[in-house]
Amino acid sequence: MKTFHNSSQHSGGFTFIEIMVVISIMAVVFGGGIAAYVNLNERQSTFNVGESVRTMLVAAQKKARVGDVPAPQAGLVCDHLTGYTVGNNSPISIMLAANCQNNAQFVVNTVVIPTSISLISSPTIKFATLQGGVTGSGTFSLQSTNWVYSFVVDAGGSISDATMVKR
């Protein structure tokens, strides 16, 4: 015996409940992806700023060791280089400057700290020319909402590897 089905009873589509379940699962996956991206973006920003500051310190150390005299700026000439200093220029920037005997200071480089990142500690460190050594050793620390980036400059002038820790 043959059974006939009315085609209007079985449309072959999805029910409203099935569609809502799929949309809910997609929303959870999409939301998790956005949260992971925001966290990664914050981590990378903190790391990049921290590495810029650390690179600036390494540059100051090298310039001081070889006695790299800066080019004249605004009519001032460095008569005798005494060292290179890295320190806060303002709450939102760190500056690398050449120090000369005639009390002239030549700004060589500046790293601007984004508003999303704050300086926890930033000692002013001076690398002496030729004879070596530092004045003002300490720990540099930068902090964002979820991450802390830090490294240490010791009294001998060694710059440690950086650490990146989730808060």
Side-chain angles (χ1 to χ4, degrees):
M1 172 174 201
K2 284 188 169 183
T3 318
F4 294 100
H5 295 289
N6 187 351
S7 63
S8 64
Q9 288 178 340
H10 299 288
S11 63
F14 296 105
T15 66
F16 180 71
I17 299 294
E18 291 171 329
I19 291 171
M20 291 308 295
V21 167
V22 169
I23 289 173
S24 298
I25 291 170
M26 288 174 54
V28 168
V29 170
F30 185 71
I34 288 177
Y37 174 76
V38 167
N39 187 38
L40 175 68
N41 191 31
E42 178 188 340
R43 181 185 190 285
Q44 198 61 38
S45 294
T46 307
F47 179 80
N48 288 342
V49 171
E51 278 298 299
S52 294
V53 173
R54 192 171 174 283
T55 301
M56 183 184 286
L57 278 155
V58 170
Q61 183 182 47
K62 287 179 181 177
K63 286 176 175 291
R65 282 186 181 159
V66 298
D68 185 12
V69 179
Q73 294 177 3
L76 292 174
V77 177
C78 184
D79 60 350
H80 178 74
L81 182 70
T82 59
Y84 279 85
T85 302
V86 175
N88 284 25
N89 188 27
S90 70
I92 60 166
S93 67
I94 295 179
M95 167 183 76
L96 166 61
N99 301 313
C100 300
Q101 195 169 26
N102 59 350
N103 292 329
Q105 194 173 47
F106 294 82
V107 177
V108 177
N109 193 5
T110 302
V111 172
V112 176
I113 310 295
T115 56
S116 61
I117 299 171
S118 58
L119 285 166
I120 299 172
S121 64
S122 172
T124 299
I125 297 178
K126 180 180 179 184
F127 292 93
T129 307
L130 302 178
Q131 75 264 18
V134 298
T135 305
S137 59
T139 302
F140 276 86
S141 293
L142 298 154
Q143 173 180 310
S144 61
T145 305
N146 294 313
W147 296 96
V148 176
Y149 178 98
S150 59
F151 61 91
V152 177
V153 179
D154 67 20
S158 295
I159 301 168
S160 72
D161 290 335
T163 58
M164 187 85 168
V165 187
K166 189 163 178 113
R167 293 180 61 202

